[in-house]
Amino acid sequence: MDSTDPGTSAPLLGEPLPIELMNTIWADRDGVHDAIAGPGGAVAWLRAVGPRLTPSAPAIGAWLDAERPAGAEEAAARLRGLRDALRRLAAEATEDPRPDAQSAIGTRDAALAALNEACGATPVWATLHWPSGGDPTRIVRTSDLAGQAVVAMLAGQAVDLFTGDMRPQLRGCPAPGCVLYFVKQHPRRAWCSAGCGNRARVARHYQRHRVTKTDPGS
């Protein structure tokens, strides 16, 4: 990992939020980890990305600010289900061969069903606020189940990701041991982060050096 928020163990690399959610599965020398395995980790991750949620909703902000958000355990389970669906669909889109990156959801159809269910789990709608003598503003409202609403918002953004211009640029990081995804927004970008690029270069150098030392013709 190269960039984390103090409140979450997940890497935050500035990717679109659905990809940041995919990357709550991450790996290091100790193995593969799940940053949202429990409600505490899920709420910590949502708080870390909360300022980037679009559209923002007062009910979701209040829910995230609560000391013990109501329904956090159910929200965490929904968030993990959405994450696993997105990782399966990302693997389909990128033809991802990495065994450690495999999703807990085994099929494309199951992933599509999970994503579409998440999209409609809780309504999110816009309202108009126009005080006398003031300017009109747009306010986003949700039902009382703010934890479900935030998952539905992320699911909607994922639909935009997979149907938009970024999908062809979606990549699985090829660095040794990495399980993260990223959007290749620059032609020369080959890794999810500079750290992974450095590790890949070191691994290639080591492999070349090892081959040279064991070559009987050298």
Side-chain angles (χ1 to χ4, degrees), residues 83-216:
R83 186 268 316 278
D84 293 342
L86 299 187
R87 288 186 67 87
R88 167 54 57 195
L89 296 176
E92 292 280 335
T94 61
E95 299 182 351
D96 190 352
R98 302 172 298 172
D100 288 340
Q102 290 185 2
S103 170
I105 293 181
T107 68
R108 178 175 176 273
D109 286 346
L112 287 170
L115 171 57
N116 291 334
E117 180 181 357
C119 286
T122 302
V124 178
W125 65 93
T127 60
L128 180 66
H129 179 64
W130 195 347
S132 178
D135 294 327
T137 58
R138 183 177 186 269
I139 298 179
V140 176
R141 302 292 184 189
T142 74
S143 72
D144 292 336
L145 302 176
Q148 294 184 28
V150 72
V151 175
M153 291 170 65
L154 289 167
Q157 292 180 28
V159 171
D160 293 338
L161 171 70
F162 285 112
T163 58
D165 295 337
M166 284 190 289
R167 179 179 56 80
Q169 304 304 321
L170 184 61
R171 299 287 188 274
C173 182
C178 188
V179 297
L180 303 185
Y181 288 95
F182 68 97
V183 175
K184 185 179 175 68
Q185 294 178 322
H186 189 282
R188 297 182 61 185
R189 186 179 182 187
W191 323 100
C192 71
S193 65
C196 268
N198 291 335
R199 286 189 287 273
R201 283 187 285 272
V202 168
R204 287 200 302 268
H205 174 78
Y206 173 79
Q207 184 63 26
R208 286 195 298 267
H209 183 66
R210 183 179 181 186
V211 169
T212 300
K213 287 185 64 177
T214 57
D215 187 350

Side-chain angles (χ1 to χ4, degrees), residues 1-16:
M1 287 191 308
D2 297 271
S3 177
T4 60
D5 182 274
T8 179
S9 65
L12 297 174
L13 303 178
E15 299 292 339

Side-chain angles (χ1 to χ4, degrees), residues 52-87:
R52 296 172 55 191
L53 287 171
T54 303
S56 60
I60 290 175
W63 183 78
L64 289 174
D65 288 341
E67 183 176 354
R68 295 183 179 179
E73 189 166 346
E74 181 180 357
R78 289 176 178 270
L79 193 63
R80 288 191 299 273
L82 175 61
R83 186 268 316 278
D84 293 342
L86 299 187
R87 288 186 67 87

